[in-house]
Amino acid sequence: MGNDANRIVIVGAGHAGGSAAAFLRQFGWTGGIALIGTETHLPYQRPPLSKGWLKGETKLAELELRPADFYKSNDIDVRLSTSVTAIDRAAQTVTLDKGEALGYSRLILATGSKLRALPVPGMDLAPILELRTIVDADKIRASLSPGCRLVIVGGGYVGLEVAASARALGAEVTVIEREMRLLARVASAALSDYVLAYHRGKGVAIELGASVAAIEGADGRVRGVRLADGRTFPADVVLVGIGATGQDALARAAGIACSDGVKVDAAARSSDPLIYAIGDCANRSMTTYWRDVRLESVPNAVEQAKQAAADICHKPVPLAEVPWFWSDQFEMRLQMAGLAFDVERTVVRGSPAEGKFAVFHLRHDGCVQAVEAVNMTPEYMGGRVMIGKRTVVDPVKLADMTIPIKQLMT
Ligand code: FAD
């Protein structure tokens, strides 16, 4: 088992890469599998990093996708602390940072996404942190203490989740967001407004339309964050969370088609038929939305891992599911499904004042295109089914809480 002629090499031992290795065995792949990852940990889940892990409530074994035994008993050659530095498509090899060349019959790129850097003076001060890995999360936890002042640059999901966890740890938190609302790229205005009021109610200071000009400090230590309008917010710790781009450098260098991620089809195949790309690093065409999209979510990583493994093992490739996502902040559970493209109207069901509502996004023909639910799982589940079935709903009935959501799903 495991010679170059029938070896699958997976680059990136994260959620997508780890899942792909497992699906390959599940679907009957008997050849070699090499799973190569830069990090020192076995594949693990990132969502708890900003939530339970940061608060010290989650154990390592709960983070790991599978225990170490799984890889051993399934003959998966896991190489941690190892990076792939180049792909030679003609020779069907990848080069490892330790110099070795590893042959592949199929290559799966699962390299994730790359955090955007904040291009301002003062980034050499400490501690200026980011959050992608366990190591990053541990650094954040170690630098937070009751009363310490944390300034978070970026009001996206990760920034807001860290804000909530840091408040629970007793930190004073300020979120600086460049746009005029939180979650501007990924949520409706109704949800943004709710989240803003909710976080402020929990003692998080939030500045909108605020652009960072510099990080200020003395003796190498952070002292504050200065905005373009001249105001400075005192800080002991700074966290930068301003989004990410698809980690497609290897594929680009190898001449594979890329555009904010590796371009792939419905079976996760890239422009090279022997090379697949899955998870955060992949940019796929979603015919339901007539768009190419790059999603950053666990369900997306698992779905594409399954698609690639099925295709390699000559099994039917599962159709794309309705995209879904969740976020936990304080006691608030947000659940989203669908993508709000080409939306003509939104309908709010439930009560934002009571912290229990859902925003439904409808197309011009009344089809449900997306749903965002706050502490309202039945509405989220119902919305997800409606999106999948392309259900046309009456907006008046949808807003009427006396009509059960189930009744509107048919
Ligand atoms: P990753 O899990 O990032 O794995 C990529 C791996 O590839 C990394 O380990 C990287 O080191 C490695 N790598 C990169 N280049 C190379 C190379 N050249 N050689 C070898 N290895 C390489 N999603 C949700 O759905 N819900 C949530 O609540 C949620 N919360 C999140 C909270 C945080 C703090 C973060 C960071 C993410 C969160 N996400 C959430 C997103 C989700 O975790 C990602 O979408 C998912 O991990 C993507 O899986 P992936 O395998 O594509 O990438």
Side-chain angles (χ1 to χ4, degrees), residues 11-12 14-17 36-39 46-47 50-51 82-84 110-112 131-132 158 250 279-280 296-299 301 325-326:
V11 186
H15 214 122
I36 300 163
T38 306
E39 292 182 66
R46 293 182 203 278
S50 47
K51 310 170 184 99
T82 306
S83 295
V84 168
T111 46
L131 179 51
R132 180 85 212 155
V158 171
L250 278 177
D280 282 14
E296 288 180 13
S297 75
V298 163
F325 189 79
W326 78 93

Side-chain angles (χ1 to χ4, degrees), residues 159-161 163-164 175 182 194-206 329-330 332:
L160 293 172
E161 287 175 358
V175 174
L182 296 172
Y194 178 80
V195 171
L196 176 68
Y198 181 79
H199 271 260
R200 283 184 171 156
K202 296 281 185 185
V204 179
I206 298 179
Q329 301 164 28
F330 298 106
M332 174 173 59

Side-chain angles (χ1 to χ4, degrees), residues 280-291:
D280 282 14
C281 75
N283 186 312
R284 60 167 147 167
S285 168
M286 286 204 118
T287 45
T288 327
Y289 299 100
W290 302 100
R291 297 277 193 311

